[in-house]
Structures are given as C-alpha cells and as structure tokens.
Amino acid sequence: MTAPAQTTAAPPPTGDFAFDDADFNAIARIAQEEFGLHLVPSKKSLVYSRLSKRLRENAMKDFGSYLRFLESDGGGEERSALLSALTTNVTNFFREQHHFDMLANEVLPPLIQRARAGGRVRLWSSACSSGQEVWSMAATLHKLCPEAASLDIRILATDIDPVILQKAKAARYAERDVAAIPEAMRSAMLTKVAGAAEEVEIRPELRALISFGTLNLISPWPFSGKFDVIFCRNVAIYFDKATQALLWHRFASLLPPGAHLMIGHSERVAGPAETLFASVGVTAYRRNETACPPIPSFPSPAAKAAAPRAATTRRS
Ligand SMILES: C[S@@+](CC[C@H](N)C(=O)[O-])C[C@H]1O[C@@H](n2cnc3c(N)ncnc32)[C@H](O)[C@@H]1O
C-alpha cells in the first residue's frame, strides 16, 4: 500500500511511458472511488513505477489505453491488480501482540461462556491480507476453547484482494514466517507440510473456525447479523479522513454495546463515531450504549457510480 501523504514534491517520473498529471488524476480518481485509496500528487513517481509494470504485462502502449481498459466492462480483474500494485499486504503473525493479549484475557472469555451456553459469537478480520492476522485470532480462540468448532462461534476473514485472500485460505507459510511465534503456540497452530521441508500449514481444527470472502470496505456490506469483535488494522490509514470516519461509523452500526473494535497502531477512531466508542486499550475500542445514528450518505454518489465496476463481496 502506498505510504501516507507526504508534503515533498516528487520528481517527474521518467521511463517508457508518458505519464502526465491528467493520467495521475485519472488513476487517483479510480483508486479513490473504487477502493477508498487516497493518492496524493507526491506519489506520482511511485504510481508510475508500480503501474508501468501493469502496462507492460497487459501489452498496453500508453496510459490512455490502460485507463480505457481499466474502465471497460472487461477491466474488473485488472482493477484488482491495480489495487494490489498500489497497496502493500504487509502483515505478521500476532502483529500488535497487545490485541491478542486483550482477546485472550478480557474479550474472549465472556464470549466463549456465551457460546458454551448456546449463544452465537462472531469475529471479523476485515482486511486480513495473507491470513496471519486471522490465524492468530483463531489460535487465540482455540487455545481457550478447543471445542470452538462445535459451538456457534466463527471468524469471518475478508480482504479486497482476491489473490492475497487465496494465500490466506491456502494457510501455508514458510518456516521463516512463523519462526517468531513461541514454540508452544507454533505447535498448537501448525503442522509440517508433507514433502515440503521449509513449509508449514495451519491445523485443520483452526481452519474449521474461519470463512473467507472478498469484500471492499468502501462498498455496501452484505451482513444481517452483528459482530462481537472486528479487527480493521493497518488499512484505514490509507483512506481519506471522510472515508475513515464513515468506516468507523459503519463498524459501530455492526457492533452491539460491549463489542470490540481493534484498529492499527497509527489509526484512531475520529469523527461522529468517536462518541459511540470507549477507548479501552492501545488502539482498542469498546462499543458503548449510545444508539448509532443513521449512516449519513452511504454509498457516496461516487461509490454508487462506481458500484457496478467495484469489487463486490463474494464468498470464496
Ligand atoms: C497492510 S495490510 C494489513 C493486514 C492486517 N490487517 C495487519 O494489520 O497485519 C492491508 C490490507 O488491506 C487490504 N485493503 C486495501 N484496501 C482495501 C479495501 N478498500 N477493502 C478491504 N481491504 C482493503 C489490502 O489488500 C491488504 O491486504
């Protein structure tokens, strides 16, 4: 994902393709309308270098042709590839460990009690990237509640990028990616992959807890039920302030009083939703009793216009 806004002017891009301000603005508009990404002009060189590879791969002669392709009915896959090119999927097992400590010590115990009494419990990793976040959630849950799969307790894992989501779902990782997980947790989460010396995979008892789906956080969502815990970490920072405020508000509408929202280390709940949450730890929030006001204007006119072309929610 592109780095947050900087104030320094970027040097003009040089390379195989002409790329003027109009091209940059057209890319920035698509990124904003379809994915909520906020590309500032100082990112022009970075956008050029990431996208010139896409032009080559698609045998496009210039940015004008690429933009026409992107906006055509057949451009859906390429719009996903555009997002992947402009974003990063950086993640890690037990990243921001304090959220997993809080899950284990405060958040999950009463939820497990409810599930054991026959109740429904739902958790959501809403920008799960290649899966390390959601498998860390599942491992934390499974450690406290080994019978979780037999109860009505499930975790939804979504990301806008179908390619990275396939990796999450495949649940296979290189040994070096799991080396930092403490040994006891590692053996509870992972098994060796037969015939692949350097690879491990997530145990089936953890896999049984998760369903995966593609979902664009700035599109309409398909949920009818509420969530008890939402993780939305290290993605909102790349949205503009208005999109962030709307996102917190929409999360609040899905969280009943007492439910939790965990966000990334450089993010902060702000805007109208601030009054709907209590801060209960480092980038951890609990939904309070205040009724959620109606969500102002969602989808926005721009998102509505983009809706037929935007990545939609699809279970995979
Ligand atoms: C930096 S990773 C964060 C992964 C994980 N949540 C963590 O904190 O380690 C950001 C993820 O957000 C996803 N993403 C970007 N824009 C999105 C959008 N509009 N809707 C849903 N996911 C999005 C990207 O595909 C990427 O996998």
Side-chain angles (χ1 to χ4, degrees), residues 1 35 37 83 87-92 95 126-129 133 159-161 164 215-218 233-235 239:
M1 188 166 288
F35 312 119
L37 291 189
L83 178 77
T87 61
T88 161
N89 301 114
V90 170
T91 185
N92 223 327
R95 181 183 194 183
S126 67
C128 71
S129 185
E133 176 178 281
D159 197 282
I160 194 173
D161 180 345
I164 203 72
L215 183 142
N216 181 350
L217 284 168
I218 68 150
R233 307 188 313 162
N234 305 306
V235 55
F239 300 160

Side-chain angles (χ1 to χ4, degrees), residues 176-245:
R176 67 174 177 281
D177 293 339
V178 303
I181 305 174
E183 169 50 33
M185 182 58 102
R186 211 180 331 153
S187 45
M189 287 179 82
L190 299 151
T191 55
K192 291 262 177 211
V193 175
E198 300 297 313
E199 278 187 42
V200 288
E201 67 184 3
I202 300 290
R203 287 184 176 278
E205 53 271 36
L206 268 58
R207 289 169 182 245
L209 299 171
I210 318 278
S211 25
F212 290 93
T214 51
L215 183 142
N216 181 350
L217 284 168
I218 68 150
S219 285
W221 300 339
F223 310 123
S224 44
K226 303 259 180 186
F227 288 92
D228 300 289
V229 180
I230 297 175
F231 273 50
C232 182
R233 307 188 313 162
N234 305 306
V235 55
I237 183 144
Y238 301 103
F239 300 160
D240 62 34
K241 295 280 177 242
T243 306
Q244 287 183 17

Side-chain angles (χ1 to χ4, degrees), residues 1-6 8-15 17 19-20 23-24 27-28 31 37-56 63 66 81-88 238:
M1 188 166 288
T2 57
Q6 287 174 359
T8 48
T14 54
F17 306 102
F19 186 58
D20 61 18
D23 295 324
F24 172 80
I27 295 287
L37 291 189
H38 185 45
L39 296 177
V40 293
S42 62
K43 296 289 158 205
K44 192 170 166 187
S45 288
L46 183 121
V47 168
Y48 175 83
S49 76
R50 301 258 176 106
L51 294 194
S52 51
K53 292 193 192 93
R54 299 301 318 146
L55 265 68
R56 272 183 224 106
F63 269 89
Y66 183 64
L82 168 80
L83 178 77
S84 295
L86 294 176
T87 61
T88 161
Y238 301 103

